Amino acid sequence: MPPQPTAGRSTARTKKAPQIQLVAAEEATAVEVADETVDTLLDEGRSPADVLVLTTGDQHPWAQHELSFGEEPYWRQQAEGEDVFYAHATAVERTTARPVVVLVVNGGTDEEAARALPLALAKASSRLIVCGDPQRLRSLL
């Protein structure tokens, strides 16, 4: 006789929620702190393709540089998925999920930063690292 299903036991696998980490940074130094965080991730063995960096204020300098070559080559880099990808949080719908997302709260309004948090979390499959002012972030949550 075949085994009978057990009540209450699910065979579906549940998705594990990403780990959330806060790295304290002032708005003016958040990009620098995020860069150091990315360097640490890479030094620990993370692949550059595993990391997405989103900013809430000015674009990251690397994104500005890459965008100077045009939108098409910039977004192609994301599709190729070979390196850390930098984007503004307002473009999060256009970015693809990665294991690690670094959200840089380097400006923008409180409303924009608050909106970016859940969107960044949705893009992170294993870890969300938020670089910003802890007091400001607590008030947003």
Side-chain angles (χ1 to χ4, degrees):
M1 193 167 177
Q4 297 297 311
T6 305
R9 193 168 98 190
S10 173
T11 57
R13 294 182 186 222
T14 56
K15 181 183 174 195
K16 185 177 174 184
Q19 175 190 9
I20 301 173
Q21 176 185 351
L22 174 61
V23 179
E26 297 297 318
E27 189 174 299
T29 61
V31 170
E32 181 180 316
V33 170
D35 287 345
E36 292 169 5
T37 301
V38 170
D39 288 344
T40 300
L41 290 166
L42 299 177
D43 290 345
E44 292 173 351
R46 273 281 177 196
S47 166
D50 286 351
V51 182
L52 170 64
V53 178
L54 300 170
T55 56
T56 62
D58 290 338
Q59 280 273 21
H60 188 280
W62 188 251
Q64 291 175 14
H65 169 75
E66 293 300 319
L67 281 164
S68 72
F69 300 105
E71 288 270 333
E72 186 179 320
Y74 169 74
W75 288 106
R76 189 175 335 116
Q77 284 184 345
Q78 177 191 231
E80 291 167 354
E82 296 174 5
D83 207 349
V84 175
F85 190 73
Y86 298 86
H88 194 271
T90 56
V92 74
E93 281 95 19
R94 196 164 173 191
T95 59
T96 55
R98 295 208 177 179
V100 179
V101 175
V102 178
L103 178 63
V104 186
V105 184
N106 64 326
T109 66
D110 284 351
E111 182 180 294
E112 291 166 332
R115 192 172 31 244
L117 285 165
L119 295 172
L121 183 60
K123 294 292 179 174
S125 60
S126 69
R127 193 167 169 194
L128 171 63
I129 302 170
V130 183
C131 300
D133 178 358
Q135 280 186 263
R136 180 180 183 199
L137 294 170
R138 276 191 208 101
S139 72
L140 298 176
L141 297 173

